[in-house]
Amino acid sequence: MRRESDRFSGYFNQAMETISSGEREDYQNHLLRTIIEYAHRHSPRAREIFRGAGIAPEDIRTIRDVEKLPITEKTSLITLQKKEPPFGGLLTTPHNRLRKIYLTPGPIFVPEAKQSRYWRWETAFYAAGFRKGDIVQVTLSYHLTPGGWMLEEPLHSLGCTVISAGVGNLDAQVKIMHELGVTGFVGMPSFLLSLGDHAEKLGLDLQEDLSLEVSFLTIELLTEAMREGIENRFGIVARQGYGTAEVGAIAYECMENRGMHIADDLILEIVDPETGKRLGPGETGEVVVTLFNKAYSLIRFGTGDLSYYDDSPCPCGRTSARLPRLVGRVDQATKLRGVFIHPSQTDQLMSRYPEIKKYQVVITRGEKSDEMTFQIELETEHIDEERLKANLQTSIRETLKLRGKVEFIPKGSILERAKTIEDRRDWC
Ligand SMILES: [Zn+2]
């Protein structure tokens, strides 16, 4: 792997990224009070939220107090914008004073105010190894949605040269990457892999003929197998970032590969979507964000994504907690004995056992509490079932933090289009 000495060390903003937890809290409390006071004065929707919750801005003094406010789900932005066009009363400035306006699927209008570093991805790019002098190919859409521009703007701040390549057009993309000596790729992991396939088809050697050194991957989930494939084939470093069209940067990976550090300039809570209460480290819940953005009052914005956080120290020196991974979407998850389980978790768990051909998780009402049974079809009959059962039960308990039964069933019992998690509890 080609490594430049300073590419993989250092910080974009050392003072902020390595701040002590006490100082971080003081800083966030201060920003929170400023933002709440401002939103209450200038955003009609923020005033409505406070009225509805029966509290005044002065009641929100620290980051722990935000729990007093309701969550504004991403899906409710559609209704809010219809009720009070164009921005649902969340904008604190007339919309003809904005720099840009986007339209994302929903449909939801997304504002971009005239302020520097609006999307806040600089820290993430720096942590992924992007530096001044890089030639960067941005392969997200520039059409209506903020994706392409959102990631281009911070690259300018870092001093990179950007090619706004957009989506598709493999021939042109390979030509650009090869002939301009592109050193950084920004886009989806699957697209980078397609680009690699196409370049090879055109007779190029990915390591000898291309100059790529770093990549910043987003939108799609980056599995470890994908990361390894990309790093080995291209001889580069692959790091991912997580954000949304409304918020911009939320979390990003450092070189240690131990999850995504939560951005310093927002409050991130992991919340039980049913109760709105904040969860602790390791507990899976919805990612809820309060943005320190004066122009657009996103206070307790529910992203609809499920994750959990890890606040153990990271060897990179950054002190923010990390999201080890995104688990999936809230609306696809099932709750059992107070814990969320998502098909992506059970898929990952089962993929560790090559002897399993197919499986389905069935949730039923038990005598004392709800029960979870993994019904499993095996690849062959010559397997020590007792041993496999014991191993599986341990893995289930460790991964999902729940006890589950294991049942082996004949091949062909699980229907082709069966749900991964089938909830058979009677809710009446
Ligand atoms: Zn780190």
Side-chain angles (χ1 to χ4, degrees):
M1 198 170 289
R2 292 172 294 224
R3 283 192 171 226
E4 277 181 26
S5 54
D6 93 313
R7 208 187 250 300
F8 302 104
S9 59
Y11 310 93
F12 179 73
N13 179 351
Q14 183 164 5
M16 192 62 236
E17 289 169 64
T18 61
I19 198 168
S20 73
S21 60
E23 284 172 315
R24 179 187 301 279
E25 211 171 307
D26 289 347
Y27 166 77
Q28 293 196 331
N29 288 341
H30 166 72
L31 281 182
L32 178 69
R33 287 194 290 267
T34 312
I35 283 299
I36 292 283
E37 200 264 328
Y38 192 87
H40 191 265
R41 193 179 311 159
H42 298 281
S43 148
R45 176 63 195 155
R47 281 194 293 277
E48 220 176 285
I49 290 174
F50 274 90
R51 256 199 311 275
I55 56 171
E58 300 77 58
D59 294 323
I60 308 290
R61 306 301 301 161
T62 75
I63 53 176
R64 284 161 221 291
D65 295 327
V66 288
E67 228 178 41
K68 295 175 187 167
L69 292 166
I71 293 170
T72 300
E73 291 296 342
K74 184 181 171 125
T75 45
S76 66
L77 289 182
I78 305 168
T79 334
L80 284 174
Q81 293 193 350
K82 258 193 201 144
K83 213 172 94 189
E84 198 176 330
F87 287 100
L90 290 164
L91 207 60
T92 59
T93 178
H95 69 282
N96 66 352
R97 303 268 175 84
L98 293 168
R99 179 162 48 208
K100 288 186 167 214
I101 298 172
Y102 306 92
L103 184 69
T104 61
I108 299 170
F109 287 121
V110 174
E112 180 185 318
K114 285 178 188 158
Q115 63 194 53
S116 63
R117 296 179 47 205
Y118 185 81
W119 299 106
R120 311 161 8 267
W121 286 104
E122 288 80 358
T123 318
F125 278 120
Y126 199 93
F130 286 68
R131 295 290 183 272
K132 184 179 179 180
D134 271 324
I135 301 175
V136 184
Q137 191 162 342
V138 177
T139 64
L140 292 178
S141 173
Y142 281 80
H143 177 71
L144 279 181
T145 63
W149 174 248
M150 175 193 283
L151 291 166
E152 168 159 345
E153 182 223 24
L155 290 164
H156 292 303
S157 325
L158 284 188
C160 302
T161 299
V162 180
I163 302 149
S164 315
V167 293
N169 208 347
L170 285 176
D171 272 330
Q173 299 262 11
V174 170
K175 184 180 166 70
I176 288 167
M177 192 171 271
H178 178 215
E179 293 181 17
L180 294 177
V182 166
T183 53
F185 169 90
V186 175
M188 295 196 280
S190 62
F191 189 64
L192 180 54
L193 288 167
S194 305
L195 264 183
D197 292 342
H198 199 71
E200 281 176 342
K201 229 185 270 168
L202 296 173
L204 296 174
D205 181 296
L206 301 186
Q207 300 203 19
E208 293 304 316
D209 299 322
L210 300 182
S211 313
L212 268 191
E213 293 183 21
V214 285
S215 61
F216 187 81
L217 306 167
T218 188
I219 298 197
E220 279 174 349
L221 194 69
L222 178 69
T223 62
E224 282 314 302
M226 260 177 156
R227 187 201 305 275
E228 222 178 282
I230 288 170
E231 292 193 332
N232 292 338
R233 278 182 72 192
F234 289 87
I236 61 172
V237 166
R239 289 294 177 268
Q240 65 180 327
Y242 161 53
T244 73
E246 299 76 18
V247 176
I250 295 180
Y252 57 88
E253 289 179 330
C254 64
M255 281 302 139
E256 298 294 333
N257 199 7
R258 292 179 182 219
M260 296 181 284
H261 283 281
I262 296 167
D264 299 300
D265 38 22
L266 46 77
I267 297 171
L268 186 144
E269 305 166 85
I270 298 292
V271 168
D272 181 329
E274 283 173 11
T275 64
K277 294 285 169 207
R278 200 182 281 214
L279 298 169
E283 293 179 312
T284 299
E286 182 176 10
V287 177
V288 172
V289 167
T290 296
L291 195 57
F292 298 137
N293 178 351
K294 278 192 174 175
Y296 192 39
S297 310
L298 284 184
I299 295 163
R300 287 204 106 199
F301 174 65
T303 59
D305 295 317
L306 278 177
S307 189
Y308 53 99
Y309 74 91
D310 175 357
D311 56 3
S312 66
C314 183
C316 75
R318 289 175 183 82
T319 49
S320 59
R322 303 179 307 283
L323 303 180
R325 64 188 194 93
L326 292 181
V327 172
R329 298 284 299 167
V330 171
D331 51 13
Q332 292 164 357
T334 308
K335 199 173 186 186
L336 178 70
R337 288 176 239 146
V339 175
F340 284 96
I341 52 171
H342 189 276
S344 74
Q345 291 170 299
T346 56
D347 279 349
Q348 202 188 34
L349 172 65
M350 291 294 125
S351 68
R352 286 191 242 144
Y353 294 89
E355 53 274 62
I356 294 174
K357 184 176 164 53
K358 218 170 170 187
Y359 80 96
Q360 184 179 36
V361 184
V362 177
I363 296 175
T364 49
R365 288 243 185 265
E367 275 181 24
K368 287 185 189 149
S369 64
D370 295 348
E371 285 178 359
M372 169 170 67
T373 308
F374 280 72
Q375 298 191 327
I376 288 168
E377 294 180 22
L378 293 171
E379 279 291 349
T380 71
E381 286 165 8
H382 312 292
I383 284 170
D384 182 347
E385 289 191 5
E386 282 314 304
R387 193 160 157 193
L388 178 61
K389 194 182 225 177
N391 289 342
L392 275 168
Q393 281 172 339
T394 309
S395 298
I396 292 166
R397 205 171 49 242
E398 281 171 2
T399 314
L400 303 178
K401 319 279 183 238
L402 285 168
R403 277 176 202 283
K405 286 187 192 165
V406 172
E407 241 175 55
F408 297 109
I409 56 173
K411 267 192 206 175
S413 309
I414 301 171
L415 298 175
E416 207 45 58
R417 287 212 217 138
K419 276 187 184 169
T420 305
I421 302 174
E422 164 116 339
D423 196 342
R424 292 189 192 153
R425 286 173 291 191
D426 187 356
W427 293 104
C428 299

